[in-house]
Amino acid sequence: FAFIDEQAPLWAPPRAMVVSAERHLLLRVERLGEDVERLTASQLSAALRASYGALFGDAGLGCVSGLAARHYCAPAGFALVRVPRRHAAQARAAATAVQFIRKRPVRLSVIHMAGSQRTARRALVRRLEQQLAALAPPRPRAALGLCEGAAVRPPAVDAAATAAEIRRSIRELKDD
């Protein structure tokens, strides 16, 4: 009688957890002015570096050489920023301190911080899909069975173009 397989170990040591050397911040970029020119990821990175330098000086600026905006979806106003793990708290402070990007008033707020690029992308895709659902034209009340009449609110004129750009951004994130 052999109840225990001689080949299988009774106890397996725990696997070592992979510790990433970077963090990924999901930022909400709110444009406060009536500006039609779109921001770019490189402009966002430059503004974050300038803010970091203003807050922490030249020595602090040298520590964040890995700071980079990895993805920026202009119509939805979300950005993924990669920062070194040791300086994630300072990068959050620098993002909050940004008031202008190329003389245009903006507000940056950190809405999610992830330890891996995969979880950061999932969080961004989830936010973009919520934004896309909010842009969808409303169903008529008659179709909902509430009352007879037209739609609750008319769709925005540029909602189709914005929705197309958000869909493209979601496809890019899911493909990588």
Side-chain angles (χ1 to χ4, degrees), residues 107-128:
R107 180 183 304 133
L108 300 181
S109 53
V110 179
I111 56 175
H112 185 78
M113 184 164 68
S116 70
Q117 189 172 5
R118 179 187 298 176
T119 56
R121 284 176 182 253
R122 285 180 183 165
L124 180 56
V125 166
R126 201 169 39 246
R127 299 283 179 155
L128 289 174

Side-chain angles (χ1 to χ4, degrees), residues 38-63:
R38 291 221 170 146
L39 300 174
T40 63
S42 61
Q43 292 171 348
L44 182 64
S45 294
L48 284 171
R49 280 195 184 92
S51 175
Y52 203 97
L55 288 176
F56 303 107
D58 291 337
L61 193 57
C63 294

Side-chain angles (χ1 to χ4, degrees), residues 13-97:
R15 288 192 228 165
M17 187 172 80
V18 177
V19 178
S20 169
E22 52 199 28
R23 293 288 180 254
H24 299 272
L25 303 178
L26 179 56
L27 301 176
R28 174 175 286 135
V29 181
E30 296 179 63
R31 311 255 319 264
L32 302 176
E34 296 289 327
D35 201 5
V36 294
E37 187 178 340
R38 291 221 170 146
L39 300 174
T40 63
S42 61
Q43 292 171 348
L44 182 64
S45 294
L48 284 171
R49 280 195 184 92
S51 175
Y52 203 97
L55 288 176
F56 303 107
D58 291 337
L61 193 57
C63 294
V64 290
S65 59
L67 184 125
R70 292 314 226 169
H71 186 81
Y72 177 57
C73 182
F78 291 115
L80 266 181
V81 178
R82 184 189 69 199
V83 297
R85 183 187 61 179
R86 297 176 117 186
H87 306 287
Q90 291 93 348
R92 286 181 77 134
T96 306

